[in-house]
Amino acid sequence: MNIIIYPPTIDWTFMKQRPQQLMKQFADLGYIVYYCNLTQHNKPIEPLAANLFLVHDFKRFTQDTLPLISKTVSSIGIWCSWAKLASKLPALNPDWVIYDCVDEFSSLLPYEEEMVRISSAIVCTAHRIYDRLRRTYPEKELVLIPNAYDVTLGVHTSHYPPNNGRQKIGYIGAWAPWVNVRLVSQLARAFPTCEVIIIGVEFDKKFSLYHMENIRYLGHLPHEQLKMHLTSLDVCIIPFKLTPVTLATNPVKMYEYLAAGKPVVSTGLPECMLHQGLIDIAHSGNDFVRKVKERLENPGNPQARVDFALANTWRHRANQAMKLIALL
């Protein structure tokens, strides 16, 4: 029996797909997985699914449960995406540690060297991150494992007919500082007969476009509710500013949009530009508006988009990770 621990980084209920999806896949592939919530409560370990457990009290888990488990298992591994935890991980006596570098937040860079030092290998989400880590830590095992599509969302099987009424332009993702608010408002003005749908949690930024009559902000919705909204959209958008964070972003929404067969218009994110045959890349606000207009009039053939998503699922990513783990 092999165990994977995901240490306290983000709560299970928060819509951050990568850690949840990978841990689910590892559990399905036979690992015993303990996902440790960031928010701590004096509660017992909670079973979520076969082989998958939610830890509410990390201190009690490490002091009481883990020593007992370690006597009966073949290996204990740690999958960690928060470099600030580096100093705490060796105390768990893992057989291996994988550092999953998912973002280029400058606040985490001071902790990265120690995290890399204690890690058996590194994985990362985007080419820009991969290139930096390869230059900085040439001696470390490093694998690019991008984000992916969650097939349980089911949007690849439910293609609704085009709207007969008001067309919809949609963004699904965090309403964060890297969202280009000016671009979103420009779109709403350019298409007054369309409805602009925004779905996502406010992340270090308050939604501020309530005054625009054709913009509808639905806030954070449970993952299982996204299917209904995503399949009703006519064009999906990724309206990001180009910043150090977004230049190193491999957007999960890209895979979800494409899985639904939807036309996608994005600003010039490098990870989206890799798929220009499937995604329309805009290089200015006016260009963004023009490309959205083209896709509202001619959405194109959805099948190539769906095929791409189904070739890039979380099971594909987990299998890639398992190959790495087998080498450690």
Side-chain angles (χ1 to χ4, degrees), residues 79-144:
W79 187 283
C80 183
S81 58
W82 199 18
K84 284 186 176 183
L85 293 174
S87 62
K88 299 180 180 179
L89 301 182
L92 304 181
N93 295 314
D95 294 286
W96 54 263
V97 175
I98 290 180
Y99 171 41
D100 188 7
C101 188
V102 299
D103 293 301
E104 283 282 67
F105 290 126
S106 58
S107 60
L108 294 178
L109 290 178
Y111 305 92
E112 184 179 87
E113 184 176 357
E114 184 179 4
M115 186 71 227
V116 170
R117 182 182 59 79
I118 69 162
S119 296
S120 312
I122 312 170
V123 302
C124 63
T125 55
H127 289 77
R128 184 181 177 95
I129 300 176
Y130 180 93
D131 292 341
R132 179 183 64 80
L133 292 171
R134 173 55 67 220
R135 290 192 306 270
T136 310
Y137 309 104
E139 74 287 353
K140 276 290 180 177
E141 182 75 27
L142 173 63
V143 178
L144 177 66

Side-chain angles (χ1 to χ4, degrees), residues 204-257:
D204 287 344
K205 187 180 185 71
K206 290 291 185 181
F207 185 78
S208 58
L209 298 177
Y210 291 106
H211 62 285
M212 304 199 72
E213 292 185 358
N214 62 331
I215 292 182
R216 187 154 62 106
Y217 176 56
L218 302 181
H220 172 63
L221 296 178
H223 192 61
E224 60 271 13
Q225 292 184 20
L226 296 182
K227 177 179 178 178
M228 174 183 66
H229 294 283
L230 178 50
T231 52
S232 73
L233 299 176
D234 294 283
V235 175
C236 298
I237 58 172
I238 305 178
F240 285 0
K241 301 174 184 177
L242 300 184
T243 70
V245 171
T246 62
L247 290 173
T249 294
N250 183 261
V252 171
K253 62 188 63 58
M254 172 178 71
Y255 300 96
E256 294 175 340
Y257 292 166

Side-chain angles (χ1 to χ4, degrees), residues 51-323:
N51 296 337
L52 180 62
F53 301 90
L54 182 62
V55 174
H56 297 282
D57 189 336
F58 186 63
K59 183 177 180 180
R60 186 167 65 180
F61 172 75
T62 56
Q63 290 181 347
D64 299 340
T65 307
L66 191 56
L68 295 175
I69 292 173
S70 63
K71 298 177 181 178
T72 61
V73 300
S74 303
S75 70
I76 295 175
I78 294 176
W79 187 283
C80 183
S81 58
W82 199 18
K84 284 186 176 183
L85 293 174
S87 62
K88 299 180 180 179
L89 301 182
L92 304 181
N93 295 314
D95 294 286
W96 54 263
V97 175
I98 290 180
Y99 171 41
D100 188 7
C101 188
V102 299
D103 293 301
E104 283 282 67
F105 290 126
S106 58
S107 60
L108 294 178
L109 290 178
Y111 305 92
E112 184 179 87
E113 184 176 357
E114 184 179 4
M115 186 71 227
V116 170
R117 182 182 59 79
I118 69 162
S119 296
S120 312
I122 312 170
V123 302
C124 63
T125 55
H127 289 77
R128 184 181 177 95
I129 300 176
Y130 180 93
D131 292 341
R132 179 183 64 80
L133 292 171
R134 173 55 67 220
R135 290 192 306 270
T136 310
Y137 309 104
E139 74 287 353
K140 276 290 180 177
E141 182 75 27
L142 173 63
V143 178
L144 177 66
I145 301 182
N147 289 320
Y149 169 54
D150 170 18
V151 294
T152 66
L153 187 60
V155 294
H156 62 287
T157 62
S158 301
H159 304 306
Y160 288 31
N163 290 314
N164 295 322
R166 199 176 192 184
Q167 289 184 299
K168 296 180 180 180
I169 302 164
Y171 167 73
I172 297 175
W175 188 259
W178 50 80
V179 173
N180 190 330
V181 179
R182 181 177 296 179
L183 178 56
V184 175
S185 61
Q186 182 180 354
L187 274 177
R189 288 193 302 271
F191 302 102
T193 62
C194 292
E195 191 171 28
V196 179
I197 307 295
I198 309 294
I199 299 173
V201 67
E202 292 174 317
F203 181 80
D204 287 344
K205 187 180 185 71
K206 290 291 185 181
F207 185 78
S208 58
L209 298 177
Y210 291 106
H211 62 285
M212 304 199 72
E213 292 185 358
N214 62 331
I215 292 182
R216 187 154 62 106
Y217 176 56
L218 302 181
H220 172 63
L221 296 178
H223 192 61
E224 60 271 13
Q225 292 184 20
L226 296 182
K227 177 179 178 178
M228 174 183 66
H229 294 283
L230 178 50
T231 52
S232 73
L233 299 176
D234 294 283
V235 175
C236 298
I237 58 172
I238 305 178
F240 285 0
K241 301 174 184 177
L242 300 184
T243 70
V245 171
T246 62
L247 290 173
T249 294
N250 183 261
V252 171
K253 62 188 63 58
M254 172 178 71
Y255 300 96
E256 294 175 340
Y257 292 166
L258 293 173
K262 301 298 181 178
V264 181
V265 180
S266 174
T267 52
L269 305 182
E271 295 293 304
C272 291
M273 293 177 70
L274 292 172
H275 308 292
Q276 287 191 70
L278 300 170
I279 296 173
D280 296 313
I281 304 298
H283 299 286
S284 69
N286 290 337
D287 191 28
F288 205 102
V289 169
R290 183 164 50 252
K291 285 182 166 62
V292 169
K293 182 176 185 296
E294 290 172 357
R295 286 307 182 184
L296 286 171
E297 296 171 351
N298 180 20
N301 188 338
Q303 193 57 51
R305 302 166 186 149
V306 177
D307 290 345
F308 170 83
L310 293 179
N312 291 271
T313 68
W314 286 112
R315 176 56 60 90
H316 289 96
R317 304 305 189 235
N319 286 334
Q320 191 179 359
M322 295 282 278
K323 292 179 181 178

Side-chain angles (χ1 to χ4, degrees), residues 1-5 26-27 29-34 51 69 72-77 95-96 322 325:
M1 184 171 63
N2 299 291
I3 286 177
I4 294 179
I5 299 170
F26 291 148
L29 290 167
Y31 275 85
I32 306 298
V33 177
Y34 291 93
N51 296 337
I69 292 173
T72 61
V73 300
S74 303
S75 70
I76 295 175
D95 294 286
W96 54 263
M322 295 282 278
I325 291 170

